[in-house]
Amino acid sequence: MSLEKQDLAAPAPSDFIRDIVAGHVAEKKYPQIHTRFPPEPNGYLHIGHAKSICLNFGIAHEFGGVCNLRMDDTNPAKEDIEYVESIQADVNWLIGGWAEKELGLTPAKAPFYASDYFDQIYEFAVALIKKGKAFVCDLTPDQTDEYRRAGKASPFRDRSVEENLDLFTRMKAGEFPDGSRVLRAKIIVDAPNIWLRDPLLYRIKRADHHQTGDKWCIYPMYDFAHCLSDYLEGITHSICTLEFEVHRPLYDWILENLDLPKTLPHQYEFARLSLGYTVMSKRKLMQLVEEKLVTGWDDPRMPTISGIRRRGVTPEALRNFAYNIGITKYNGITDVSVLEHAIREDLNKRSLRRLAVLRPLKIVITNVPAGHVEELDAVNNPEDETAGKRKIPFSRELFIERDDFQEVPPPKFFRLKPGGEVRLKYAYIIKCDEVVKDASGHITELRCTADLDSKTGGATSARKVKGTIHWVSAAHAVDAEVRLYDRLFTVPEPDADGDFRQHLNPHSLEVLTAKLEPSLKDATAATRYQFERLAYFALDKDSGNNLIFNRTITLKDTWAKEAHKAS
RNA sequence: UGCCCGAUGGUGUAACGGUAGCACAGCAGACUCUGAAUCUGUUUGUCAUGGUUCAAAUCCAUGUCGGGCAACCA
């Protein structure tokens, strides 16, 4: 299915923000809808950001608008160019083939940066001072905190415009040490909303900035820079998460007190994503990386966009997930199964089926002569006829999955057992005649006979056998490293109590050497594979001459559930 | 504590004063050369109490519970 068709087929998402936007479009309130996605480059983007990206770009896409990617880089102490680059790559990947046209670009065809506006933001601060609406305050951080809690005016609140102007100019010139003075808005000292109690606008902070170098030693605070950046870019709908709801009066106050000629943007808030069995805060993800609890930001177990991508999930799957969860103001925890379903649904449609054995058990088909090799037809994707067929080699010695044989089978086990029959996918029905063990009782080999007329299309091929299993020809098999990933945490809410690290899943990664059908030698990074009856896999970026596959997600396994119930 | 926000099955959402629907999960079955996919059926819900109304998940009031903010972070 083409992406375009997929978009058309998907019901247009509807939520309270889109309802508002649709209303504005209907009344022609703005010439064009303009949103933005404004991450701070102080970490990698995660699936919660994906929700926001899909919302902001989705709205632009659906209402003929534009969405800017803007680095909210007002705190150089915590930011880094590495993050700028990863954010750009992740956004491009997520919107690729979907909302690329809606991506707003600066004249340099780069993302936007709040730091692009530092000169203008500075002038806005000067304008506020001149109007008597901002003042330089010499209180220490602790004192400031104390005064604000008490709803008491700063003793510096009534400095003259001239003095404020002089002090602010000198702050900029670097005449004062870090943290010694700040610029504050003059609003209401005892407002019920803390963010209106003369909030900070600028602080002195000597830090090398990844975009502006050492040009500045004062940096605007989020509240001051954000609304003005939105305004300067012509943003109409500034969409953020719930924790900024209480900041909205300040957002509006700044814009309304600057006598701005253009239409003002408006802020709307929605609930951030919480996912079961996952931690989402950048701080905790950073901790996992720094303490080497994972291999990096793009470890396939991480909920980061880069980790999810490396795991083999497609942007379409992630977008469908984002659509499916909806947008509200309710802080709930989305079940991981919703994500897993979106991934499986996507991969089922697109992945090439292949035969691969993860934990090999050798079997010998005694009535097939040694040296005999035949090529069998195998369907590449039953969900997509255009994917065609391939040949797979069959011979006397094969590998099957150890799990597919049980010497003492539980009830309803319809795979291979002593004296039992099973179909080898695309090949013959075989019967297990003998179980060969070593001195310690470990099964080393199975000796079987094939019903030589039962090959697909053959005389007895219609014979009903309850089970069908996958296999690979031992002589033709290709070895590959497979990385079996599982959820990173063992509990639905890892950060609900105490230290989230104590809930780390010790089995979140298992590495095996698997036996693959030979066609997988030519596997490509862009292709998604389903190892039949097992899971979906994608080539890892570490893969070179030696193949490395990441397990994206398992197939649903009703039998495992059944077996679990029995035990 | 103050201010702000929220509450619909197990989970996430829809219903915009007029039949509580969808998805995921679960359960049961059909089909199956993937115990997958697909198909069929199905269990489970409007936080509470009042009020307005012919009619309330929806509007109002009060309460309960949950979340957020009170960084020279964003």
Side-chain angles (χ1 to χ4, degrees), chain A residues 325-339:
Chain A
I325 56 176
I327 300 293
T328 63
K329 299 185 75 157
Y330 175 73
N331 271 307
I333 298 174
T334 298
D335 202 303
V336 260
S337 67
V338 180
L339 207 215

Side-chain angles (χ1 to χ4, degrees), chain A residues 163-202:
Chain A
E163 188 183 5
N164 282 321
L165 238 26
D166 173 62
L167 254 16
F168 189 52
T169 306
R170 290 163 62 193
M171 276 172 62
K172 183 193 179 198
E175 291 187 25
F176 310 120
D178 284 11
S180 60
R181 288 189 160 89
V182 294
L183 182 71
R184 290 229 249 165
K186 198 188 285 189
I187 309 182
I188 305 167
V189 296
D190 58 354
N193 183 337
I194 303 285
W195 291 100
L196 259 18
R197 319 246 269 223
D198 291 3
L200 276 63
L201 265 23
Y202 263 93

Side-chain angles (χ1 to χ4, degrees), chain A residues 277-307:
Chain A
Y277 294 92
T278 309
V279 296
M280 205 69 93
S281 88
K282 276 192 201 169
R283 203 200 92 239
K284 291 184 181 120
L285 296 178
M286 175 92 69
Q287 206 176 338
L288 290 171
V289 172
E290 287 182 343
E291 295 177 11
K292 305 217 183 300
L293 271 6
V294 294
T295 60
W297 285 98
D298 70 345
D299 185 301
R301 292 166 293 186
M302 290 282 271
T304 51
I305 293 180
S306 53

Side-chain angles (χ1 to χ4, degrees), chain A residues 305-325:
Chain A
I305 293 180
S306 53
I308 289 168
R309 171 172 63 231
R310 186 172 177 185
R311 180 122 168 197
V313 174
T314 69
E316 289 82 2
L318 212 43
R319 277 186 239 140
N320 287 339
F321 168 70
Y323 273 11
N324 291 342
I325 56 176

